Amino acid sequence: MENTKAVTPTDVEVKKEIDSEVILQYRNYEVNMDDVTERVKAHYYAKGYKKDSIENMQIYVKPEDFTAYYVINDGVVGKVNLF
């Protein structure tokens, strides 16, 4: 016979979500990186891809070009303005 015990909050460490944001500052400009991520997604969807089709995404920020380049699902490439 197995010993079963109900798990209580004191038995398991509860991880608290930390509210954070990443801001890129370059020269006299600044942009929230969450906004850049949303712009990338919007650009991808505007190309006709479905909203639930993103499996992975890499964003390469190049402030000297004022551009964020992206690769989605290891093949779809594009770019959006940073500022």
Side-chain angles (χ1 to χ4, degrees):
M1 184 179 251
E2 291 182 28
N3 184 8
T4 58
K5 176 184 171 191
V7 177
T8 63
T10 57
D11 294 335
V12 179
E13 182 180 321
V14 179
K15 292 189 178 187
K16 182 179 176 183
E17 185 72 26
I18 298 172
D19 187 24
S20 66
E21 63 182 332
V22 178
I23 307 294
L24 170 70
Q25 293 182 328
Y26 181 72
R27 296 184 182 169
N28 293 328
Y29 301 95
E30 73 176 35
V31 63
N32 183 309
M33 295 311 297
D34 290 336
D35 293 342
V36 173
T37 300
E38 290 306 312
R39 262 188 256 146
V40 165
K41 289 178 183 178
H43 193 260
Y44 172 78
Y45 300 141
K47 289 182 173 187
Y49 295 97
K50 294 181 181 181
K51 297 224 181 223
D52 61 350
S53 66
I54 296 177
E55 294 177 13
N56 59 64
M57 174 173 46
Q58 297 80 38
I59 300 173
Y60 303 90
V61 177
K62 196 166 180 187
E64 61 271 18
D65 290 349
F66 298 96
T67 305
Y69 299 90
Y70 66 86
V71 179
I72 295 178
N73 297 338
D74 301 319
V76 180
V77 297
K79 63 182 181 177
V80 296
N81 293 329
L82 274 178
F83 309 104

